[in-house]
Amino acid sequence: MKLLALGAFVISLVSASTAVAQFNPVIAKCTGNGADFYLSESPVDALVGSVPEPLPTNKDTILVVDQKKGMYWSNQSRAAIDRACGGQGNEEIALFDGVQPRSGLWQARLGETRPEGCPAILASMFGPGLPGHMPAELSTPRQLTFGVPFHPDQLELTKTLAASGISAVDWRAVGEDSWQADIMSDIFAQIPGGPGKGSGMAWRLTVTSKDRIDHNVTVTIALPAEAAALMGMSGDCRVTSDNQWVRVGD
C-alpha cells in the first residue's frame, strides 16, 4: 500500500509539472525604444530547441529576445524589461496575442497605386518601380523563415533597404499584430511643407493570419498653400497601395 501511495504521489507530481509546462509564455521583443510584448501561441514545452534551457516552471517568467544580449528568460516585471530595452518602463504595457506567420514559400501580391488629390505631374511619379509602389521582383515566390516572435525586422525587404543605405527602417508597434515605419524620412524632409504639415512615406504591416501579412504603403506630399495652388492642388497629394504577403507553399 505504501508503494502504491508513493507511486500515486509521484504521478501527481509529474502531472502537476506537466500542467505547469503547458503555459504559454510572454515574449518580450527589445526594439531599442522599449519592448513589444506578445503571448506565445505555443506552450513553453513546444518551444524546446528554439529557446534557452532549462525551461521555466513559473508562468510569470518572460522570454526576452534582444539582438545585443541574445535570448534569455527573465523574472523581472514587464516595466523593468521595457526600461532595460530602452523604454520608459510604463506599467501599462499592452499585452496582446501575437499571430505567428508560418515559415515557408511566400509571395508578394502587389496592389494598384491610388493617387488622391495629386496633379498629373505628381501622380506620374508613383508608378511601378517608383516610390509608393512595391518592387515588381517581390512577386517572385521566395523562401522565408520567421523566428518566434515575428517582427517586421525579419522581412527581407526591411534588411535590403537598411543594407543598401536607401533607408533605415524603424518599426514601431501601432496595434495588435500591426507595425508602422517611416521610409526615406530624410528625403521627404527636404520637401517644404505648410505649417504643421509634412511629407513622407509610411509602411504599415498587419499580420492577419498565419498565411497572410497585409502591407499598406501611404505616400503623402504636403506643400505650402502657395506652391499647392500653383500645382493645382486643393489639399495634400496622397498615394496609397494595399499589398499582401501570402504563403503559397512549404
Side-chain angles (χ1 to χ4, degrees):
M1 292 297 292
K2 291 183 178 180
L3 184 59
L4 289 175
L6 178 59
F9 177 70
V10 171
I11 290 174
S12 67
L13 285 180
V14 172
S15 298
S17 63
T18 300
V20 170
Q22 289 297 320
F23 70 87
N24 290 38
V26 172
I27 301 173
K29 168 71 174 181
C30 281
T31 65
N33 298 315
D36 293 332
F37 292 87
Y38 307 81
L39 184 62
S40 172
E41 287 195 328
S42 302
V44 67
D45 59 346
L47 300 177
V48 173
S50 60
V51 299
E53 295 189 37
L55 298 177
T57 56
N58 183 345
K59 64 182 180 63
D60 294 326
T61 304
I62 296 175
L63 178 63
V64 181
V65 181
D66 189 326
Q67 288 186 346
K68 295 181 179 179
K69 299 180 181 179
M71 188 183 298
Y72 60 94
W73 295 101
S74 174
N75 290 315
Q76 291 184 302
S77 67
R78 281 188 282 160
I81 292 174
D82 184 70
R83 285 193 295 270
C85 291
Q88 299 298 314
N90 191 339
E91 291 289 349
E92 300 298 327
I93 300 170
L95 173 65
F96 56 90
D97 296 342
V99 177
Q100 179 68 30
R102 297 189 298 164
S103 299
L105 197 63
W106 285 75
Q107 181 179 19
R109 294 181 179 172
L110 309 181
E112 296 295 328
T113 55
R114 301 184 304 278
E116 301 174 11
C118 302
I121 189 172
L122 288 181
S124 64
M125 296 174 59
F126 299 101
L130 296 171
H133 198 285
M134 301 289 285
E137 58 267 24
L138 294 179
S139 296
T140 303
R142 61 197 59 215
Q143 201 74 28
L144 296 179
T145 301
F146 299 120
V148 180
F150 168 79
H151 190 275
D153 283 343
Q154 299 171 8
L155 290 175
E156 181 180 347
L157 189 57
T158 298
K159 299 174 183 177
T160 301
L161 282 178
S164 63
I166 295 176
S167 176
V169 184
D170 185 14
W171 293 102
R172 60 186 183 278
V174 292
E176 186 168 325
D177 301 312
S178 189
W179 296 263
Q180 185 165 312
D182 296 322
I183 309 300
M184 296 188 289
S185 299
D186 54 340
I187 295 177
F188 282 95
Q190 299 175 28
I191 301 175
K197 292 187 175 183
S199 301
M201 179 190 298
W203 281 2
R204 186 180 181 114
L205 282 184
T206 302
V207 182
T208 56
S209 74
K210 294 181 179 181
D211 300 316
R212 174 179 148 184
I213 302 172
D214 288 347
H215 188 160
N216 174 266
V217 179
T218 301
V219 178
T220 303
I221 304 295
L223 299 176
E226 297 80 2
L230 288 174
M231 299 191 70
M233 295 170 54
S234 58
D236 294 347
C237 164
R238 187 182 303 272
V239 179
T240 58
S241 177
D242 296 321
N243 313 283
Q244 295 176 355
W245 298 85
V246 181
R247 189 177 185 275
V248 294
D250 295 327

